[in-house]
Amino acid sequence: MYTLHNMTEQKIKLSVDAVVFGYEEGVISALLIQRKYNPFKGKWAIPGGFVLNDESLETAVERELQEETGVKINYLEQLYTFGAVERDPRGRVVTVAYVGLVRPNTFKIVASTDAAEVQWFTLDKLPELSFDHQKILDMAIARLQAKITYEPIGFELLDKKFPFSDLEKLYTTLLGRPIDRRNFRKKILSLNVLDELDEKVSKGSGRPANLFQFNQKRYFELKKEGIIFEI
Amino acid sequence: MYTLHNMTEQKIKLSVDAVVFGYEEGVISALLIQRKYNPFKGKWAIPGGFVLNDESLETAVERELQEETGVKINYLEQLYTFGAVERDPRGRVVTVAYVGLVRPNTFKIVASTDAAEVQWFTLDKLPELSFDHQKILDMAIARLQAKITYEPIGFELLDKKFPFSDLEKLYTTLLGRPIDRRNFRKKILSLNVLDELDEKVSKGSGRPANLFQFNQKRYFELKKEGIIFEI
DNA sequence: TCATATTGTGTAATGTATACACAAATATAG
DNA sequence: CTATATTTGTGTATACATTACACAATATGA
């Protein structure tokens, strides 16, 4: 243990990184930047950067995402802190990793500051990543897959109003296995967190679908009563 | 985003803290230290300290625990990273918090370095804590309660060989609600991760109990096959 | 208007969780 | 030594939840 005054020799830098997931038309993607500078110049990485002295970790993540990619994050949660001694060739850098969810269709991604390029990569076609970012991304995927079964975070990836089939397709994709449509619908509706709207939408052929909307207020009420979301 | 060379102005210190739980005779306790120096001199806190430049976060936790309390940790997992700007009056300190489980009867706790005192506190009689440590402890309790229902970490708090009633009492305590003995036993045994030994133990009056032992190897095999532990 | 595509819906069978009571083996008190 | 108290060990019936499964309704496009 050291008191702070004789800890001036601590040379550890603190950064934040965010694995940002987006979903569109049955495909999950992660947002990556191409590094403009060394180390790993030209290689892909998850967006992130160093924390400023007077900003919280969450603020840092949001600022970096804004700066590097133009993304406006919809849902953000801390994932894990990676502190292996040799994870950054520049020196000791500990990074607090986050998972973010966004609706890709609500904005345009634009590379800036230290990102040469920003791009969505579908999870089955990821490029080689810098640092230990593959490990971080793997953990983020695992977290997302686990979490959608016990927290209603899937809605953060869909439009505010969505047909039930979108939700079903999202879960099929995320869980990587088929879902029985009838049972899934029954279960989700029995959770009482979806409002069925008086609007229909038809995409191409087939019977038009009713639109639904996640009722977050109702969810928090139920959560307070100890009623849990589980799929 | 900043590159490392112009980040020499980052003044953030990184520490680790550990909420260490122990269990004995139906009671869960947390290990706390009494601070020897300011800030919060004389007040209780969870053990921890600053990370050295060339050690991993886990190494730092184990070192600090050893230095301050003499504890040999049995199970350690990262909990959350706390980075609020004003959480430490000395300046910006971000801390990576861990949860540790130990068997209190396997060693003697001893205060040293910056701990004036080390003591086990049962969870219903916790003292006022320094910094944001109450928040950390609350989160640690929540994590422990949640985790014992889907990972076999309860065994880390018991003796290697234990009667079934110990396990049952542990779960009753942790979950804070009564458990049906027969159903609990059925469920745990059906998970196939306990070896029933040919040893009996009798504590006071009553029929002597058979001893059981957690078979970690078997657990990992089952986990690899995707068979999950759930209570 | 016919074929094709997608949404919307109920029931039976299976599996899982819960509720519940008494005999066996020991210690202790009389 | 016997009776009583204490703790362990065990099975079955019921309620509840999950799963499997098929066809009608409503649209588009040829």
Side-chain angles (χ1 to χ4, degrees), chain B residues 123-138:
Chain B
L123 294 191
D124 52 350
K125 283 179 188 167
L126 291 168
E128 206 183 332
L129 295 182
S130 315
F131 305 102
D132 54 356
H133 286 189
Q134 184 62 53
K135 197 171 151 193
I136 298 177
L137 210 149
D138 289 345

Side-chain angles (χ1 to χ4, degrees), chain B residues 33 36 44 83 174 176 184 226:
Chain B
I33 63 160
K36 206 188 260 179
W44 294 91
L174 276 175
F184 181 72

Side-chain angles (χ1 to χ4, degrees), chain B residues 63-75:
Chain B
R63 178 182 51 73
E64 290 287 352
L65 280 174
Q66 182 62 50
E67 283 178 15
E68 293 184 343
T69 69
V71 159
K72 273 287 185 192
I73 212 78
N74 194 16
Y75 171 87

Side-chain angles (χ1 to χ4, degrees), chain B residues 3-73:
Chain B
T3 48
L4 202 57
H5 56 85
N6 61 14
M7 271 301 297
T8 45
E9 72 274 28
Q10 202 196 45
K11 293 239 170 56
I12 303 175
K13 297 295 173 206
L14 188 70
S15 65
V16 288
D17 288 298
V19 178
V20 175
F21 291 112
Y23 172 81
E24 239 167 349
E25 292 169 35
V27 186
I28 308 274
S29 304
L31 192 65
L32 299 178
I33 63 160
Q34 192 172 34
R35 290 180 58 81
K36 206 188 260 179
Y37 308 111
N38 269 321
F40 300 106
K41 181 175 171 181
K43 254 194 152 184
W44 294 91
I46 59 180
F50 291 100
V51 180
L52 301 181
N53 295 323
D54 58 354
E55 69 182 354
S56 73
L57 302 175
E58 287 74 20
T59 306
V61 175
E62 279 161 13
R63 178 182 51 73
E64 290 287 352
L65 280 174
Q66 182 62 50
E67 283 178 15
E68 293 184 343
T69 69
V71 159
K72 273 287 185 192
I73 212 78

Side-chain angles (χ1 to χ4, degrees), chain B residues 145-186:
Chain B
Q145 283 184 339
K147 195 131 188 180
I148 54 159
T149 68
Y150 64 90
E151 295 270 357
I153 59 171
F155 307 110
E156 311 289 345
L157 288 163
L158 301 177
D159 294 336
K160 275 192 185 146
K161 302 172 179 186
F162 55 87
F164 216 93
S165 54
D166 274 17
L167 188 65
E168 184 204 321
K169 203 176 293 174
L170 172 65
Y171 272 79
T172 308
T173 307
L174 276 175
L175 299 176
R177 57 180 164 83
I179 290 178
D180 183 283
R181 272 176 55 228
R182 271 182 289 190
N183 293 338
F184 181 72
R185 189 179 176 116
K186 241 186 303 180

